[in-house]
């Protein structure tokens, strides 16, 4: 159950996407997401789907793992689809029964929403699959550094983020370990009603809190012992540098972006 | 002689299907006889913890099967659950499983899950607490107020209170001082004597294993390297050291004495036996 959480999960590899500069990756991911929401015609959405699959292929992450990241969203996607089908009116009416109307525009909107959400999740999970959490937060810090002018403690914020990300696998392991220990004492997490199920979690949550707080104190001590001071004057072991392939990626995304807009102009808009 | 647990061609792979897939237990088969006290030793990462978690159905084998009393654990949902009560497993650093308001309630957690009657639970908690030497005033405390060693004992009591037929302890003495270790080992031995249960003790300390176990199972790189009576295993000192393991220090001393030409006996690996043997020599005894 807990193992299904794929956010922040890194998939080791050495693909083009793995080797790109993380800052460029973040910016281009955002650009692609904007592109996804600009799609209005069937051809442009087809372009987006093609690009998404091309990216999966380039990243070398197995399709199965990528699809796993969509699984938790299945309910939300289905819900959005149903809402759109029944609420949006326009175009030709295909079906009518009392207060229910299904129109062609509603169907198209629902279809677009589903495809958009799925592509969005896939593209953003590819970002985390191909970037280690530490590199990711470094990149975010670098991208946010202009905010320092407004006296926003960017370094502290990203340090908190690094630590939070860093501790996800630790906590996942811990949950596993505690769950196993309680299962060995006959804990039953599957049967019973909602109340029993929630109650069954207490033996996991209490030890988890205890050990998280312990981890936090230990970490604070360890950082102090190594003379950690906040922000100013810290240098990096690994400097981030833009390289040739980052500009190729930029060019490709620019072409895709232009393509989406051109398709919107030259083909029939359906939503 | 009947096998309580029998392991058949057990293989376990972590991260199946990922690039960092790792075979932790590799095609292992063996039987555990009723009433045995087995020491499970092996280098760090040799797969001991992974192996023992299969014996009570916590982990599902990638391949192979584990039988308890001749029946597969994985036969039905019910048998998986039953395995947890038949085979009590106490984890490495078990103190992290404590969660209740009082130590007493925490020890009662296992028996309560077995759906026992209130009186029976209380009786078992009292017995388990006395086995591990926790006094009534400890039982009323919060488990988080205990010292490290006391927490460990409370956690072990939590498993003992389920009165399993097989008790597995994963490094119960790790991080304890020598006296604390002896206390824990004595606790286990007392529990075994009075309940007649089978015990599997995972340990890095050859001394502990030599003192307590009647049989030793040696794991190496996910495979069973040796599985025999304690004397016979520790007699193969060279093979053990090739696997990064030691023999008990007493054995080392005795093998040096033997090289120096003293007529000491074979198969000595505990201090008590060593004292006996040296006393015999000093009285002018001959080699056996
Ligand atoms: N959750 C896990 N995911 C992936 N690999 C694991 C996991 N747990 C253990 N391993 C790997 O499996 C192997 C066996 O681990 P195991 O914990 O069984 O060793 P061990 O013999 O108990 O070691 P130790 O004496 O240090 O406790 C190790 O190489 C370890 O890296
Ligand atoms: Mg272990």
């Amino acid at each position: 159950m807990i193992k299904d959480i794929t956010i922040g999960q890194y998939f080791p590899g050495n693909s083009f996407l793995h080797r790109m500069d993380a800052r460029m990756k973040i910016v281009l991911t955002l650009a692609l997401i904007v592109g996804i929401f600009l799609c209005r015609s069937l051809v442009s959405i087809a372009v987006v789907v093609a690009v998404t699959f091309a990216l999966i292929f380039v990243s070398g992450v197995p399709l199965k793992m990528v699809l796993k990241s969509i699984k938790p969203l299945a309910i939300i996607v289905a819900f959005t689809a149903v809402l759109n089908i029944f609420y949006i009116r326009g175009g030709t009416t295909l079906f009518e029964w009392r207060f229910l109307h299904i129109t062609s525009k509603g169907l198209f909107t629902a279809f677009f929403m589903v495809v958009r959400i799925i592509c969005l999740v896939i593209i953003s999970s590819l970002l985390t699959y191909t970037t280690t959490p530490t590199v990711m937060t470094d990149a975010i810090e670098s991208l946010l550094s202009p905010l320092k002018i407004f006296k926003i403690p960017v370094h502290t914020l990203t340090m908190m983020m690094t630590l939070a990300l860093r501790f996800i696998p630790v906590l996942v392991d811990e949950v596993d370990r505690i769950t196993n220990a309680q299962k060995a004492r006959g804990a039953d997490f599957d049967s019973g009603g909602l109340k029993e199920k929630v109650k069954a979690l207490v033996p996991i949550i209490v030890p988890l809190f205890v050990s998280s707080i312990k981890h936090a104190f230990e970490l604070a001590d360890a950082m102090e012992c190594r003379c950690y001071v906040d922000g100013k004057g810290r240098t990096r072991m690994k400097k981030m540098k833009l390289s040739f392939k980052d500009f190729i990626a930029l060019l490709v995304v620019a072409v895709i972006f232009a393509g989406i807009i051109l398709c919107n102009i030259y083909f029939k808009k359906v939503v | 002689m009947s096998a309580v647990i029998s392991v058949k061609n057990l293989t376990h792979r972590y991260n199946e299907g990922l690039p960092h897939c790792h075979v932790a237990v590799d095609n292992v088969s063996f039987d555990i006889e009723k009433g045995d006290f087995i020491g499970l030793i092996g280098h760090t990462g040799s797969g001991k913890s992974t192996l023992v978690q299969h014996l009570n159905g916590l982990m599902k084998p990638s391949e192979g099967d584990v039988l308890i009393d001749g029946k597969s654990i994985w036969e039905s949902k019910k048998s998986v659950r039953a395995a947890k009560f038949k085979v009590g497993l106490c984890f490495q650093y078990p103190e992290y499983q404590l969660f209740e308001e009082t130590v007493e309630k925490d020890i009662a957690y296992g028996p309560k899950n077995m759906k026992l009657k209130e009186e029976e639970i209380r009786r078992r908690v009292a017995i388990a607490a006395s086995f591990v030497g926790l006094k009534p005033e400890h039982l009323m405390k919060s488990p988080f107020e205990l010292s490290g060693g006391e927490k460990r004992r409370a956690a072990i009591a939590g498993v003992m209170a389920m009165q399993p037929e097989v008790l597995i302890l994963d490094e119960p003495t790790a991080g304890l001082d020598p006296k604390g270790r002896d206390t824990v080992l004595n606790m286990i031995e007392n529990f075994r004597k009075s309940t007649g249960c089978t015990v599997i003790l995972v340990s890095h300390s050859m001394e502990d294993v030599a003192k307590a176990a009647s049989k030793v199972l040696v794991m190496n790189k996910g495979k069973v390297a040796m599985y025999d009576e304690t004397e016979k295993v520790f007699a193969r000192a060279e093979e053990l050291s090739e696997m990064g393991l030691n023999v008990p220090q007493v054995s080392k001393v005795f093998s040096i004495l033997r090289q120096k030409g003293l007529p000491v006996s074979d198969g000595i690996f505990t201090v008590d036996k060593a004292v006996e043997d040296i006393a015999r020599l000093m009285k002018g005894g001959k080699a056996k």
Side-chain angles (χ1 to χ4, degrees):
Chain A
M1 152 187 87
I2 191 100
K3 286 264 159 77
D4 287 339
I5 299 174
T6 51
I7 296 185
Q9 203 179 60
Y10 177 67
F11 186 88
N14 193 27
S15 70
F16 187 88
L17 294 187
H18 284 89
R19 281 175 289 141
M20 266 176 71
D21 187 286
R23 291 168 299 177
M24 188 60 101
K25 257 191 282 189
I26 294 174
V27 172
L28 295 184
T29 305
L30 290 177
L32 279 178
I33 288 172
V34 172
I36 290 173
F37 281 91
L38 286 180
C39 287
R40 306 286 298 276
S41 71
L42 284 173
V43 180
S44 51
I45 202 93
V47 170
V48 165
V49 172
V51 167
T52 308
F53 277 92
L55 281 176
I56 296 176
F57 179 74
V58 170
S59 71
V61 179
L63 193 63
K64 216 168 82 190
M65 270 194 79
V66 178
L67 295 182
K68 223 170 76 183
S69 59
I70 312 176
K71 220 169 74 187
L73 285 165
I75 295 173
I76 299 177
V77 171
F79 190 67
T80 334
V82 171
L83 267 189
N84 276 308
I85 288 177
F86 290 112
Y87 272 85
I88 306 252
R89 308 236 170 125
T92 48
T93 303
L94 304 168
F95 177 82
E96 213 166 355
W97 181 73
R98 296 201 187 171
F99 57 91
L100 293 177
H101 299 263
I102 297 180
T103 62
S104 61
K105 189 163 181 209
L107 273 186
F108 276 125
T109 315
F111 170 74
F112 268 65
M113 261 341 224
V114 169
V115 175
R116 278 172 182 163
I117 294 176
I118 291 175
C119 289
L120 177 139
V121 172
I122 290 180
I123 289 180
S124 34
S125 57
L126 279 181
L127 175 67
T128 51
Y129 275 134
T130 60
T131 319
T132 58
T134 29
V135 172
M136 181 88 87
T137 44
D138 277 358
I140 292 173
E141 183 177 352
S142 164
L143 288 172
L144 292 182
S145 58
L147 292 180
K148 279 181 193 153
I149 321 170
F150 304 112
K151 297 243 175 344
I152 293 175
V154 175
H155 177 80
T156 313
L157 290 178
T158 48
M159 178 51 102
M160 280 161 60
M161 215 157 80
T162 314
L163 293 180
L165 283 176
R166 166 69 187 77
F167 274 93
I168 288 175
V170 175
L171 290 183
V172 169
D173 271 0
E174 203 108 328
V175 170
D176 256 6
R177 212 176 60 194
I178 298 168
T179 311
N180 275 342
Q182 307 301 25
K183 269 193 194 158
R185 294 205 280 168
D188 187 2
F189 300 112
D190 302 323
S191 54
L194 187 66
K195 203 176 150 212
E196 276 80 42
K197 274 188 183 161
V198 172
K199 253 181 144 176
L201 291 181
V202 173
I204 297 177
I205 292 171
V206 174
L208 187 67
F209 266 107
V210 171
S211 78
S212 308
I213 292 170
K214 224 175 103 203
H215 275 313
F217 276 117
E218 280 169 1
L219 184 73
D221 283 345
M223 283 168 79
E224 252 168 43
C225 288
R226 296 188 199 175
C227 307
Y228 174 81
V229 278
D230 206 21
K232 249 183 222 152
R234 285 175 68 82
T235 53
R236 305 201 163 277
M237 189 160 98
K238 285 187 187 145
K239 274 235 175 319
M240 286 181 285
K241 253 198 297 203
L242 289 175
S243 65
F244 185 57
K245 52 183 170 302
D246 297 308
F247 292 104
I248 294 182
L250 180 63
L251 191 69
V252 171
V253 172
V255 169
I256 293 169
F257 211 86
I260 290 173
I261 291 174
L262 286 178
C263 289
N264 274 343
I265 295 174
Y266 288 103
F267 292 96
K268 191 173 147 238
K269 285 182 195 162
V270 287
V271 287
Chain B
M1 287 222 289
S2 59
V4 234
I5 299 183
S6 103
V7 175
K8 302 238 183 274
N9 301 95
L10 176 73
T11 297
H12 188 88
R13 285 182 287 267
Y14 281 109
N15 302 314
E16 185 104 62
L18 292 186
H20 43 280
C21 173
H22 181 89
V23 186
V25 175
D26 190 1
N27 196 7
V28 158
S29 305
F30 59 89
D31 284 345
I32 289 166
E33 309 291 342
K34 212 172 174 68
D36 271 352
F37 192 137
I38 294 175
L40 177 53
I41 59 177
H43 196 53
T44 297
S46 57
K48 305 182 294 291
S49 300
T50 311
L51 175 65
V52 293
Q53 285 178 61
H54 282 89
L55 304 185
N56 72 341
L58 261 183
M59 283 189 164
K60 192 160 188 178
S62 305
E63 275 162 44
D65 204 356
V66 178
L67 315 181
I68 296 183
D69 294 331
K71 276 202 212 129
S72 167
I73 296 183
W74 293 97
E75 214 170 58
S76 66
K77 249 190 165 165
K78 234 170 129 190
S79 62
V80 177
R81 205 166 148 69
K84 308 276 183 341
F85 300 130
K86 270 196 181 165
V87 181
L89 172 61
C90 193
F91 273 83
Q92 218 164 348
Y93 301 106
E95 47 272 34
Y96 291 111
Q97 70 187 35
L98 302 171
F99 71 98
E100 278 283 14
E101 291 152 58
T102 66
V103 174
E104 186 174 23
K105 279 191 191 169
D106 207 284
I107 299 177
Y109 180 66
K112 227 159 127 190
N113 283 328
M114 298 171 84
K115 309 255 176 343
L116 296 174
K117 289 215 184 71
E118 198 67 32
E119 298 149 51
E120 175 66 8
I121 293 178
R122 229 170 299 140
R123 197 181 65 85
R124 286 190 176 197
V125 170
I127 294 176
S130 76
F131 268 124
V132 300
L134 286 175
K135 298 192 189 76
E137 69 252 30
H138 286 133
L139 292 183
M140 286 304 135
K141 276 193 184 173
S142 153
F144 303 108
E145 287 170 8
L146 299 180
S147 79
E150 287 164 348
K151 272 187 200 160
R152 180 76 55 92
R153 284 191 260 161
I156 295 176
V159 178
M160 283 181 173
M162 302 187 344
Q163 303 194 344
E165 282 170 38
V166 182
L167 178 66
I168 306 178
L169 300 121
D170 197 347
E171 294 188 42
T173 56
L176 295 182
D177 65 25
K179 186 147 170 270
R181 289 161 61 149
D182 278 345
T183 325
V184 168
L185 287 181
N186 284 334
M187 262 158 49
I188 297 167
E189 185 58 32
N190 287 340
F191 181 76
R192 193 180 78 92
K193 275 201 190 118
S194 69
T195 60
C197 76
T198 313
V199 176
I200 302 176
L201 173 75
V202 179
S203 181
H204 275 289
S205 158
M206 300 305 140
E207 273 72 26
D208 289 358
V209 171
K211 222 180 289 175
S214 58
K215 277 174 125 184
V216 176
L217 194 154
V218 186
M219 290 281 290
N220 187 32
K221 294 183 185 154
K223 290 195 192 289
V224 172
M226 298 177 204
Y227 181 35
D228 213 335
E229 268 139 46
T230 311
E231 297 103 85
K232 289 186 185 150
V233 168
F234 285 134
R236 294 156 76 176
E238 239 163 65
E239 282 168 74
L240 285 174
S241 72
E242 268 167 32
M243 294 175 214
L245 295 173
N246 262 323
V247 289
Q249 282 168 1
V250 174
S251 299
K252 274 192 221 165
V253 171
F254 266 60
S255 81
I256 295 171
L257 288 178
R258 203 169 301 123
Q259 276 168 21
K260 300 244 161 169
L262 281 167
V264 291
S265 318
D266 292 334
I268 302 272
F269 41 79
T270 62
V271 177
D272 292 345
K273 281 197 190 157
V275 170
E276 258 174 47
D277 202 58
I278 289 176
R280 182 182 60 80
L281 278 181
M282 290 182 33
K283 281 197 202 117
K286 287 267 145 44
K288 279 180 191 165

